[in-house]
Structures are given as structure tokens and as C-alpha cells.
Amino acid sequence: MKTAHTGQPVVSCRDTSKEFGEGANVVHALRDVSLDIWPGELTLIVGPSGCGKTTLLSVIAGILDQTSGEVTVLGNELGRLSPRQKTAFRGRHIGFVFQQFNLLPALTAAENASVPLLVEGKHRGPAIRQAAELLHEMGMEKRVNSYPKQLSGGEQQRVAIARALIREPQLIVCDEPTSALDAKTGHAIMELLKRVAVQPDRAVVVVTHDPRVFPFGDRMATMEDGEVIEVSTNGQEKKVATADER
């Protein structure tokens, strides 16, 4: 675990808020969140259901626009990008892993993992070979030609992780990646993320409410009612002032 950093964070949120609805029906999903996410770390965003974890992840990934504040990812202030630029930015720099594996049933494991390469125009043969090599690294060498229905939940999640990593993005975002898995398989998936996904020039963000995942985090941001109330690193806790206290 790391307690100090030099250089720039991969993600920097400053007084970031997100509201849904208007007037009396407005919902404050995020309230003045300030958070840095650093390369070389696996950062956990934790808290109860409905606290804003997934909303924050979606804002960081440029899927949702913040209502106010700033979100900077890899030096780019997302609020200054057009929708088209933001889509292109996500495709090149951000990998996604979700609770639902979202694999295409008619494609093999290697073909599923190669989809981002095929979308960007890489020839099918080299793309599938590159995906197969990555799956080998992840212990899936005997399953590269298997279809999703032939794979266990843990194997499907490994394919989904390979798909997220295939273009070597600098930010990996994971929304409840273990909640559809049993404890043993979830543990293996988190070990895999630590081993394969976390790199010196890459940040990994995992949203979870599963306490079994907590030991894998280098940094943990705890949320409550749309606010980051605490950040802990290497066993040290730092209370973050809430909007009402500032």
C-alpha cells in the first residue's frame, strides 16, 4: 500500500455534485465530492446501497455529466469535452468491468475479449490471437475457444476483465465485479485484478458494498448520502469534511 504520491492523479474530482430531477423532486446523488485516484493502486469506493457509489463511478467514467464541480481524468477536464469526444476518450482510455458480464453468446471467450480491438479496426486474426494471449495470462488457456454458456461465472468474469484490459487503458472501472459470484470465486477475481490490472501507470477503481473485497484495496473511499466521508490508506483513516461542515 502507498501513502504518498508524486506526479498527477489519474482521476481528480473537485466539489463534484450530481443532481437528478428539478425543484421539489431533485435528488442529490453526489454532494461536493473531492477525491483523487492514483496510478498503481486499486481504489475501492464503498458504502451502502443508494449512497452514490455507482453515480460517482459513472461520472468518473464520463457516462454521466456532473451538475457542478470538476472531474479531470488523465489531464482532461471531462466537462470541456463534447459528447463525441467523451465517447472516443472512454473507448481509448477507460476499461469497464461490471457485475453482469455482458458477453456475446455467439462468440468464444477469445472473440469476446477481442471485441474492443475489432471495433477500432484491428484485423480479426491478430485481434483474437492477442486476446488469447491475455486469457492465457489469466489462467484461461484451456477455455479460449469456449462459448459463454460453457463457462462458469468466474470464468465469464475473467473474460470480461480481459475485454476491459485488451486495449491497455490507463483507467479500469469496476462496478460490483464480485457480487454475482460466490466467496471463493470473488476472492480469486479480486486477486486477478490485483495481479493483472493494477500497473504503475494504471488506476483501478472498484465500487462494492461487499466487505470481503475490502482487504484488496490500496485506498478506500467511504460514501454516505452522496458524500465521501472518509478515505483510508494503509490502515490510516482521513475524515473528509461533509458539505454541511464546510
Side-chain angles (χ1 to χ4, degrees):
M1 290 186 175
K2 306 168 182 62
T3 57
H5 293 276
T6 58
Q8 298 297 317
V10 172
V11 177
S12 181
C13 298
R14 289 292 174 266
D15 298 321
T16 302
S17 295
K18 176 62 179 177
E19 298 175 356
F20 296 100
E22 298 178 353
N25 297 318
V26 68
V27 174
H28 299 279
L30 297 178
R31 300 171 183 263
D32 296 321
V33 170
S34 292
L35 179 68
D36 290 328
I37 294 170
W38 296 91
E41 290 189 351
L42 191 155
T43 298
L44 300 175
I45 301 176
V46 307
S49 296
C51 71
K53 303 187 302 295
T54 297
T55 300
L56 178 57
L57 192 73
S58 297
V59 168
I60 287 171
I63 297 171
L64 291 176
D65 295 328
Q66 73 270 24
T67 303
S68 61
E70 292 185 359
V71 179
T72 302
V73 180
L74 297 168
N76 293 269
E77 189 180 331
L78 296 186
R80 296 182 180 273
L81 301 182
S82 69
R84 185 173 182 177
Q85 289 173 324
K86 200 174 294 185
T87 298
F89 180 81
R90 282 199 305 269
R92 184 65 193 92
H93 297 289
I94 304 177
F96 295 86
V97 180
F98 299 106
Q99 174 183 348
Q100 303 301 323
F101 317 122
N102 297 324
L103 303 181
L104 299 173
L107 301 184
T108 66
E111 289 169 338
N112 266 287
S114 73
V115 164
L117 297 178
L118 298 173
V119 168
E120 71 176 10
K122 189 164 187 173
H123 290 300
R124 185 175 184 277
I128 293 175
R129 285 194 293 274
Q130 183 176 336
E133 290 173 2
L134 181 54
L135 288 168
H136 276 234
E137 285 184 48
M138 300 168 66
M140 291 281 289
E141 61 274 3
K142 295 181 180 180
R143 308 297 271 161
V144 293
N145 294 317
S146 298
Y147 293 93
K149 67 180 181 181
Q150 299 171 315
L151 302 175
S152 68
E155 289 171 335
Q156 291 186 61
Q157 190 61 290
R158 286 172 185 262
V159 176
I161 292 170
R163 182 181 58 198
L165 293 173
I166 195 71
R167 293 181 69 184
E168 300 183 352
Q170 293 161 280
L171 175 63
I172 301 288
V173 296
C174 311
D175 192 4
E176 303 283 3
T178 64
S179 63
L181 306 173
D182 60 66
K184 182 179 179 181
T185 304
H187 190 275
I189 289 299
M190 291 305 300
E191 286 184 332
L192 179 69
L193 279 171
K194 286 284 286 189
R195 178 173 63 85
V196 177
V198 178
Q199 300 291 334
D201 59 348
R202 176 190 292 146
V204 180
V205 184
V206 176
V207 159
T208 185
H209 66 272
D210 183 356
R212 296 173 299 182
V213 171
F214 293 179
F216 292 94
D218 296 303
R219 188 177 302 268
M220 184 162 67
T222 302
M223 293 192 68
E224 185 176 296
D225 295 330
E227 300 177 277
V228 173
I229 60 170
E230 189 175 82
V231 177
S232 60
T233 307
N234 197 21
Q236 300 176 356
E237 296 182 355
K238 176 183 177 183
K239 187 175 184 298
V240 179
T242 64
D244 291 338
E245 296 169 328
R246 285 194 289 265

